[in-house]
Amino acid sequence: MGIQISPSILNSDLSNLAAEVRRIESTADWVHVDVMDNHFVPNLTLGLPVVESLLASVSIPADCHLMIEDPDRWAPAYAEAGAKSVTFHVEAARNPVTLARDLRAAGARAGAAIKPGTSIESVRDIARELDMILIMTVEPGFGGQAFMDDMMGKVTEARRIADSSGLDIWVQVDGGIDARTIGIAAEAGANVFVAGSAVYRADDPADMVSRLRALAEAAAAQ
Ligand code: DX5
Ligand code: ZN
């Protein structure tokens, strides 16, 4: 699968979520929804009822990034609610293989995320159960942070794991992705790009999504 852009609504106008998604619907592949529980990360955003409402009023698929404790218990409900991609953190999962299978059984693509301090080895053995590996390029919890270049080694290794599996495993990056950094991540091997503040701080968010896509495609083609 080629380059995909998944704008994060974390730094959009949260009092107008559906309208904020409509601003990017014409060009974005996904809407990235950051679920935080104030335990796994020191921030609290939104949960299942809000995701359910949002899904009912937007036309692009949801890419739910769950920064929560006990995803084994809570994540499958997001898939059952209709999220087409559900990503849990391996640091929080008790049984990632069972969880990934539960997510797929509920109709979602299963993603596993790793924080900057977590080794790629934590996903290597479970890769065949996954549809996506998310390499965090900031410490999870907040938008608007600086991209961590030193995560590119993990992105390249995730791409190797994905390619050598013979399966269509996607490699996502999240955090600090903008017009300067997206090419770096694409060259390293990422193909799904989350961008929050770069998209929603732009005058024309849909146009910024197209710009980011073009930059990633150019870098990936090199
Ligand atoms: C951070 C979230 C990100 C965040 C990215 O924990 O997972 O999805 O919204 O925001 P930017 O693109 O501003 O770094
Ligand atoms: Zn995210």
Side-chain angles (χ1 to χ4, degrees):
M1 189 74 184
I3 302 295
Q4 298 173 70
I5 309 292
S6 185
S8 163
I9 49 174
L10 182 61
N11 280 12
S12 72
D13 176 0
L14 296 177
S15 69
N16 282 303
L17 267 188
E20 290 290 73
V21 177
R22 269 180 226 115
R23 292 172 77 196
I24 50 111
E25 252 174 3
S26 63
T27 54
D29 300 281
W30 300 85
V31 54
H32 182 88
V33 182
D34 290 299
V35 175
M36 307 185 189
D37 67 352
N38 242 353
H39 291 275
F40 183 72
V41 288
N43 196 4
L44 182 67
T45 54
L46 47 80
L48 189 58
V50 176
V51 170
E52 282 174 334
S53 301
L54 192 62
L55 283 168
S57 49
V58 303
S59 64
I60 52 173
D63 163 31
C64 289
H65 176 196
L66 307 182
M67 286 158 276
I68 60 173
E69 296 289 3
D70 205 1
D72 307 68
R73 177 174 177 191
W74 303 111
Y78 290 83
E80 283 154 19
K84 292 284 175 240
S85 180
V86 177
T87 299
F88 59 88
H89 270 266
V90 293
E91 301 89 351
R94 269 175 291 122
N95 192 335
V97 169
T98 304
L99 177 50
R101 289 180 184 170
D102 287 349
L103 293 172
R104 285 173 157 180
R109 296 178 59 87
I114 56 175
K115 296 201 281 186
T118 303
S119 159
I120 190 71
E121 298 313 317
S122 60
V123 293
R124 189 185 299 280
D125 292 343
I126 60 167
R128 299 193 67 79
E129 307 286 342
L130 302 174
D131 299 294
M132 187 163 80
I133 299 168
L134 165 53
I135 308 294
M136 290 303 300
T137 43
V138 297
E139 210 52 69
F142 301 92
Q145 303 181 76
F147 177 75
M148 298 168 75
D149 291 78
D150 50 340
M151 293 300 121
M152 293 308 99
K154 284 203 288 189
V155 171
T156 300
E157 193 51 34
R159 169 53 57 200
R160 269 195 216 115
I161 292 169
D163 288 350
S164 67
S165 74
L167 304 169
D168 187 24
I169 302 172
W170 299 349
V171 178
Q172 184 177 60
V173 283
D174 180 7
I177 298 294
D178 61 18
R180 182 187 73 81
T181 59
I182 194 164
I184 300 169
E187 264 182 56
N191 74 304
V192 188
F193 303 86
V194 177
S197 37
V199 168
Y200 278 99
R201 277 186 201 149
D203 292 335
D204 183 340
D207 182 64
M208 178 55 78
V209 170
S210 300
R211 244 186 92 197
L212 291 171
R213 183 192 309 284
L215 289 165
E217 282 172 350
Q222 278 182 6

